[in-house]
Amino acid sequence: MRSAQRTTSAAGDRSLLRDSSLVWLASGIVGVSFGAVSVAGGLPVWVPVLMSLVVYAGSAQFSAVGVLLAGGGPAAAVATGLLLNTRTAAFSLAVAEIIGSGRAARFLGAHLVTDETVAFALAQPEPALRRRAFWISGLGLFAVWNTGVLAGALAGSALGDTTRYGLDAAFPAVLVALVLPALRADATVRRCALLGASLALAVTPAVPAGVPVLLALAGLLLHRRPAAPGAAA
C-alpha cells in the first residue's frame, strides 16, 4: 500500500515538474530581460539582483526600475511597486490554507505568492495536489527567475531589446492555459472572469501597467458563496 502511494506521489510530482517547466521557462526569459534592461539603463548589477531576491515581483520590479531610470526617486519607485503588487494580498487569501500553518511555511510561502504559482496551485483538483503544486512551482519559479535576472544583468546591453522576439507573450499564454479548466467547469467563475477581463481591457489605455490586473479583481463581486446546508431559501 505504501509503495503504491509513493509511486503515485512520485508520478504526480513528475507531472507537476513537467507542467511547471513551461512557467519556469517563461520566467527565466523575462528575468533575463529584466536584468539586461536594468543594467543597460545604467543601474549597477547588484540592484536588479538584490531586488529580485528581496522584492520578487516581476511587473512591480519592471515598473520600479522604469521610474528610477526615468529620473524618479526611490520613494516614487517603491510607491509604484507597492501599488502594482497589492493584488497579491487577494492571492494570498486564496492560497492561505494551501501554504500550510507553520510560521516558517507561511513566511516563505508568502514570498512565493505570484500570479503564476496561485493559478497553478488552484488549477489542481485536490488539496494535497494544490499544496505540492504551489511549492514545486513556487520554489522552481523563484530559482529560475533569479538565475535569469543574474544572467541578464551580467550580459548587460549585449542582448538588446528582448521584447522584439515576442517572448513577453509567454506568461499570458501559460496563465490562460492554467485557468481554462476552472473556466470550463464553473459558470460562476466564467462570469467573474468575464467581468474582470472587461474591466481590465477598458482601463488599460488609461492606467499604468499592472493596475488593470488589480481592478480586474472587481469581477469577484459576482461570486456567491454556496448556501449552507439547511439554510432557508
Side-chain angles (χ1 to χ4, degrees), residues 124-135:
Q124 309 306 313
E126 301 175 1
L129 282 176
R130 290 176 181 174
R131 178 166 297 182
R132 289 209 301 272
F134 176 85
W135 287 106

Side-chain angles (χ1 to χ4, degrees), residues 6 17 37 40 42 57 101 106 122 124 127 153-154:
R6 286 196 297 268
L17 285 170
V37 168
S101 57
R106 286 188 174 274
L122 296 183
Q124 309 306 313
L154 293 175

Side-chain angles (χ1 to χ4, degrees), residues 98-137:
I98 297 173
I99 291 174
S101 57
R103 183 174 298 178
R106 286 188 174 274
F107 180 81
L108 178 58
H111 194 55
L112 298 179
V113 170
T114 64
D115 307 57
E116 297 76 31
T117 55
V118 171
F120 194 80
L122 296 183
Q124 309 306 313
E126 301 175 1
L129 282 176
R130 290 176 181 174
R131 178 166 297 182
R132 289 209 301 272
F134 176 85
W135 287 106
I136 289 174
S137 63

Side-chain angles (χ1 to χ4, degrees), residues 2-233:
R2 290 183 179 179
S3 177
Q5 290 176 341
R6 286 196 297 268
T7 301
T8 302
S9 179
D13 288 345
R14 285 194 297 270
S15 177
L16 290 173
L17 285 170
R18 183 190 64 240
D19 295 341
S20 296
S21 63
L22 296 174
V23 183
W24 298 342
L25 176 61
S27 174
I29 292 169
V30 178
V32 169
S33 175
F34 173 72
V37 168
S38 301
V39 174
L43 295 177
V45 171
W46 66 267
V47 172
V49 172
L50 182 62
M51 182 184 291
S52 294
L53 288 169
V54 177
V55 178
Y56 185 52
S59 60
Q61 289 181 224
F62 272 103
S63 299
V65 166
V67 170
L68 291 174
L69 295 181
V78 170
T80 301
L82 286 174
L83 173 64
L84 297 183
N85 221 37
T86 50
R87 68 186 187 280
T88 58
F91 295 162
S92 298
L93 294 176
V95 297
E97 295 183 1
I98 297 173
I99 291 174
S101 57
R103 183 174 298 178
R106 286 188 174 274
F107 180 81
L108 178 58
H111 194 55
L112 298 179
V113 170
T114 64
D115 307 57
E116 297 76 31
T117 55
V118 171
F120 194 80
L122 296 183
Q124 309 306 313
E126 301 175 1
L129 282 176
R130 290 176 181 174
R131 178 166 297 182
R132 289 209 301 272
F134 176 85
W135 287 106
I136 289 174
S137 63
L139 291 171
L141 192 66
F142 182 81
V144 173
W145 169 260
N146 283 280
T147 301
V149 170
L150 177 60
L154 293 175
S157 58
L159 295 175
D161 184 9
T162 56
T163 60
R164 66 184 175 182
Y165 305 120
L167 297 175
D168 52 325
F171 264 138
V174 171
L175 286 175
V176 168
L178 288 174
V179 301
L180 274 178
L183 293 176
R184 291 171 177 166
D186 194 322
T188 300
V189 172
R190 288 196 295 272
R191 288 194 294 269
C192 294
L194 180 60
L195 175 58
S198 299
L199 289 172
L201 288 173
V203 302
T204 292
V207 299
V211 175
V213 177
L214 181 62
L215 295 178
L217 293 174
L220 295 175
L221 293 173
L222 295 181
H223 191 276
R224 297 180 179 178
R225 284 182 172 272

